[in-house]
Amino acid sequence: MTYPQLAELLKRSITGLRYSMSKQDSEFSKELLVARVKLGHRVYFRTDQVAEIVDRGRA
């Protein structure tokens, strides 16, 4: 999952998502960093881990 796809899923702007990920001020952003994978200069998020994080947030 890419930054634009994650931003769409979370209903946030890409810029806002990048900002919150850089600050790591919430438990949610810290958990998303664990799901992040860098391949060269590209950044992806493991879809299965993102789904678990989102599901826990809704519970």
Side-chain angles (χ1 to χ4, degrees), residues 40-51:
H41 291 284
R42 296 175 189 244
V43 177
Y44 297 99
F45 295 88
R46 291 184 183 95
T47 306
D48 56 339
Q49 288 182 335
V50 171

Side-chain angles (χ1 to χ4, degrees), residues 1 3 6-7 9-10 12 17-18 20-21 24 26-37 43-47 49-54 56:
M1 178 177 290
Y3 261 110
L6 183 59
L9 175 73
L10 299 175
R12 300 196 57 185
L17 178 61
R18 287 183 193 272
S20 64
M21 295 290 292
Q24 301 176 22
S26 71
E27 190 65 32
F28 185 73
S29 61
K30 290 176 186 174
E31 289 179 358
L32 284 177
L33 283 175
V34 174
R36 185 176 70 168
V37 176
V43 177
Y44 297 99
F45 295 88
R46 291 184 183 95
T47 306
Q49 288 182 335
V50 171
E52 288 177 18
I53 294 166
V54 170
R56 276 193 306 236

